[in-house]
Amino acid sequence: MAGESKAKVIPLHSNSGRSAAAQRRAAQRADSVRRHPSLLTDPGTRASAEQIAAVVREIDQHRGAGAGDEQDTPNELCKAITAIADFAVKRMTGDYTVDEFGFDPHLTNAVVMPMLRVLFTSWFRVEVSGIENLPREGAALIVANHAGVLPFDGLMASVAVHDHHPLHRDLRLLAADLVFDLPVVGQAARKAGHTVACTSDAHRLLAAGELTAVFPEGFKGLGKPFKDRYKLQRFGRGGFVSAALRAQVPIVPCSIVGSEEIYPKIGDIKLLARLFGLPYFPVTPLFPLAGPLGVVPLPSKWHIQFGEPIPTADYDESAAEDPMVTFELTDHVRETIQHTLYQLLAARRNTFLG
């Protein structure tokens, strides 16, 4: 009617200023009432005490579930702080183990792997296949091609095994003497579980049941010109085959695509190489002209494939000393890796995308 003031409706409950948990509980209460229409204020209808008690119990159950969800929500910052504190306490108290080679799993898992994982997932975007060809337990010798001026391929292979193997096993690399002669680098390599590429160390690792990786091309593969990319160099004298035969462990060929493009080597300054005691001093499109920027690897797309294992258990003990046996097995492994490289290259759509 004209002249009458309309009653101002003031809501008893407002969402403004209410927490998400309070809003969720209100929605749960409303949902409970909708499922029990007898509680609505219909004329002449009144809920019994039993019905009201049943709805109250249901609301309490929903509240308990909601509270549990809130408590179970992890606080990432707290988790990170706790992990750092736990790491620091263990380092200060000495509550960690180091094996005879200097391998420090505590430091590797907490510091080394997270840093390498950034390159693995975000920079090189490594695709891994054939991980099922690695044994769940026990030793195996992984033999891979080697390229890229700096040995990023070995580091990425170690992340591939650790992160993709169902038991998250560690891959122990056999590296050149030069790595362990470098200050800081040599100590870091030891703590990450790697050792010198010699027959005695290879045999000790395999005898201990470790997954061990070797790169038989050595510096010939690592420092080859870009024009020879993905063409395997000579595989040494077959010492890795002898180690596998002595330990009676399978040989797993490993083919890596993508490492050749991170530092395209177009030249070699031999005078500087001799001056610094290096096997080569590379010239790439960005190094040394671009200075420190030239040290950053190009973000090529990688694929690491582990092939079917080649068994050695059927050979007798004398096979490790037989040049013909070691030569045949060495050639077989090399041809397998080369053939797989060609297959992966044929299937690759783009060098830097994908």
Side-chain angles (χ1 to χ4, degrees):
M1 295 177 61
E4 292 183 354
S5 61
K6 295 183 179 179
K8 185 177 181 181
V9 179
I10 301 176
L12 295 178
H13 302 285
S14 173
N15 286 338
S16 61
R18 299 173 65 188
S19 67
Q23 294 179 26
R24 183 165 58 251
R25 289 194 292 269
Q28 291 168 352
R29 287 195 295 270
D31 183 62
S32 297
V33 172
R34 281 195 297 272
R35 289 200 295 269
H36 297 272
S38 62
L39 295 181
L40 298 175
T41 56
D42 291 338
T45 303
R46 180 174 297 177
S48 67
E50 291 80 4
Q51 290 174 317
I52 294 174
V55 174
V56 170
R57 284 195 300 269
E58 185 176 349
I59 291 173
D60 289 341
Q61 290 173 358
H62 281 297
R63 282 181 178 175
D69 292 342
E70 292 175 9
Q71 294 172 0
D72 291 341
T73 301
N75 187 318
E76 296 299 331
L77 179 59
C78 288
K79 287 175 64 179
I81 293 174
T82 302
I84 294 172
D86 179 66
F87 173 78
V89 168
K90 286 186 176 182
R91 300 310 293 186
M92 289 187 293
T93 59
D95 186 19
Y96 59 92
T97 58
V98 178
D99 73 3
E100 59 179 314
F101 293 95
F103 179 37
D104 187 343
H106 182 240
L107 180 67
T108 300
N109 293 331
V111 178
V112 178
M113 280 296 169
M115 291 192 299
L116 294 178
R117 199 170 285 123
V118 174
L119 287 173
F120 186 90
T121 58
S122 302
W123 194 251
F124 296 135
R125 296 145 293 142
V126 183
E127 179 182 352
V128 180
S129 60
I131 199 72
E132 68 278 0
N133 290 318
L134 299 181
R136 291 181 62 87
E137 57 183 18
L141 184 67
I142 290 87
V143 182
N145 58 302
H146 208 22
V149 176
L150 293 179
F152 280 100
D153 46 11
L155 301 177
M156 294 302 102
S158 66
V159 179
V161 173
H162 184 276
D163 287 2
H164 289 264
H165 192 279
L167 298 183
H168 304 291
R169 299 191 63 182
D170 296 302
L171 182 64
R172 313 291 290 271
L173 306 180
L174 297 172
D177 298 4
L178 176 62
V179 172
F180 301 97
D181 292 337
L182 296 174
V184 180
V185 175
Q187 294 179 348
R190 287 285 186 189
K191 289 186 177 296
H194 315 315
T195 188
V196 179
C198 64
T199 304
S200 59
D201 279 9
H203 184 72
R204 287 164 61 199
L205 283 172
L206 294 173
E210 300 287 351
L211 288 179
T212 308
V214 65
F215 302 86
E217 292 176 280
F219 288 121
K220 299 188 301 296
L222 197 62
K224 66 176 176 286
F226 186 64
K227 63 182 179 64
D228 294 330
R229 59 191 178 279
Y230 299 113
K231 296 177 182 178
L232 294 184
Q233 305 299 298
R234 189 172 66 87
F235 267 23
R237 300 176 183 177
F240 69 92
V241 168
S242 297
L245 287 170
R246 286 192 183 92
Q248 298 283 283
V249 300
I251 300 172
V252 180
C254 176
S255 304
I256 304 174
V257 165
S259 58
E260 296 274 14
E261 291 85 12
I262 61 173
Y263 297 115
K265 182 171 174 281
I266 57 177
D268 186 1
I269 305 177
K270 299 185 182 299
L271 180 61
L272 290 178
R274 287 195 296 269
L275 179 64
F276 292 109
L278 301 174
Y280 49 81
F281 191 94
V283 176
T284 73
L286 296 178
F287 182 83
L289 295 179
L293 183 62
V295 181
V296 178
L298 297 179
S300 56
K301 177 72 172 64
W302 285 40
H303 189 146
I304 299 178
Q305 178 167 317
F306 298 96
E308 294 185 4
I310 300 170
T312 63
D314 294 336
Y315 292 91
D316 55 35
E317 296 181 359
S318 62
E321 309 299 331
D322 189 335
M324 291 302 297
V325 173
T326 56
F327 175 78
E328 289 178 2
L329 269 177
T330 301
D331 192 55
H332 177 44
V333 173
R334 185 180 181 279
E335 289 299 320
T336 300
I337 296 174
Q338 184 69 82
H339 182 66
T340 305
L341 285 174
Y342 288 148
Q343 288 182 328
L344 294 176
L345 289 170
R348 184 167 66 167
R349 296 187 299 274
N350 192 288
T351 302
F352 295 97
L353 301 177

